[in-house]
Amino acid sequence: NAIHGLARWARWTPVQHLADRVTLGLDVVPQTGYPFQVRVETTYALHPEAGLVVTMTAHNLGPTRAPFGAGSHPYLSTRGHALADTTVQLPARELLVVDEQQVPVGVRSVTGSSHDLRRGRRLRTLRMDDGFTGLTTRDGQGAAEVRTRSGGARLWFDETFRYLQVFTVEALTP
């Protein structure tokens, strides 16, 4: 399977470029393992209150239904603080259970576990590469947060996103 998608190494083309936004497009063409044709566009827009807003759309251009999923990899900074001193808040009721090949095989409640991040929790020794579901939204929007003594970052998502993957790493290297 295409664990990081069919568009990861593709050359996206500019569709629109304005002072506060850029839209990139890609035609995912039929190929081995994915015999469908889908047009994908992603818009990156600067908003005075919400910050960077990313909108993804996909249009099936083929004659049959096409399975499709989309995701991204935003990294929220700890602003130089250690993960042990970082607080993560995630509105998720369930943790994905995976097998030895990291294929999801079920879900379990986070209640009472170290992965219950609904009210915010300092990571201390917890390190993750875990998927969460059972996401809570209000008025169609939810948010995950990373906070340190120096500030924080918030990642908003809408109700179409049913899963969030949390990955922690001590330091990103170039």
Side-chain angles (χ1 to χ4, degrees):
N1 66 24
I3 191 167
H4 283 95
L6 300 172
R8 181 179 186 190
W9 299 111
R11 295 183 189 269
W12 292 67
T13 57
V15 173
Q16 182 184 50
H17 185 217
L18 302 172
D20 65 342
R21 71 189 61 233
V22 63
T23 298
L24 303 175
L26 177 70
D27 288 317
V28 178
V29 297
Q31 54 198 280
T32 303
Y34 192 77
F36 308 98
Q37 185 173 345
V38 178
R39 173 69 178 177
V40 182
E41 290 187 357
T42 301
T43 299
Y44 300 91
L46 296 175
H47 187 276
E49 294 174 15
L52 178 64
V53 176
V54 181
T55 305
M56 295 183 275
T57 61
H59 299 280
N60 181 3
L61 301 178
T64 62
R65 292 174 54 135
F68 183 82
S72 60
H73 290 262
Y75 285 89
L76 304 183
S77 174
T78 62
R79 299 176 179 252
H81 293 277
L83 284 175
D85 298 326
T86 300
T87 298
V88 174
Q89 185 173 4
L90 185 70
R93 297 182 309 273
E94 298 173 318
L95 179 71
L96 292 177
V97 177
V98 297
D99 65 13
E100 301 79 34
Q101 282 108 18
Q102 299 299 311
V103 174
V105 295
V107 296
R108 70 172 170 82
S109 172
V110 298
T111 301
S113 76
S114 62
H115 287 80
D116 191 347
L117 307 171
R118 291 175 287 185
R119 293 185 181 184
R121 180 175 185 276
R122 186 174 291 183
L123 291 178
R124 302 192 197 295
T125 60
L126 178 64
R127 299 298 174 266
M128 294 180 283
D129 188 2
D130 297 295
F132 292 83
T133 191
L135 305 178
T136 302
T137 60
R138 284 196 186 141
D139 298 324
Q141 188 178 66
E145 291 185 5
V146 171
R147 293 188 303 270
T148 67
R149 291 185 313 273
S150 297
R154 179 177 293 138
L155 171 72
W156 287 280
F157 56 91
D158 68 27
E159 71 274 357
T160 60
F161 286 85
R162 299 182 317 158
Y163 303 93
L164 290 176
Q165 183 79 14
V166 177
F167 174 73
T168 56
V169 62
E170 292 295 333
L172 291 174
T173 56

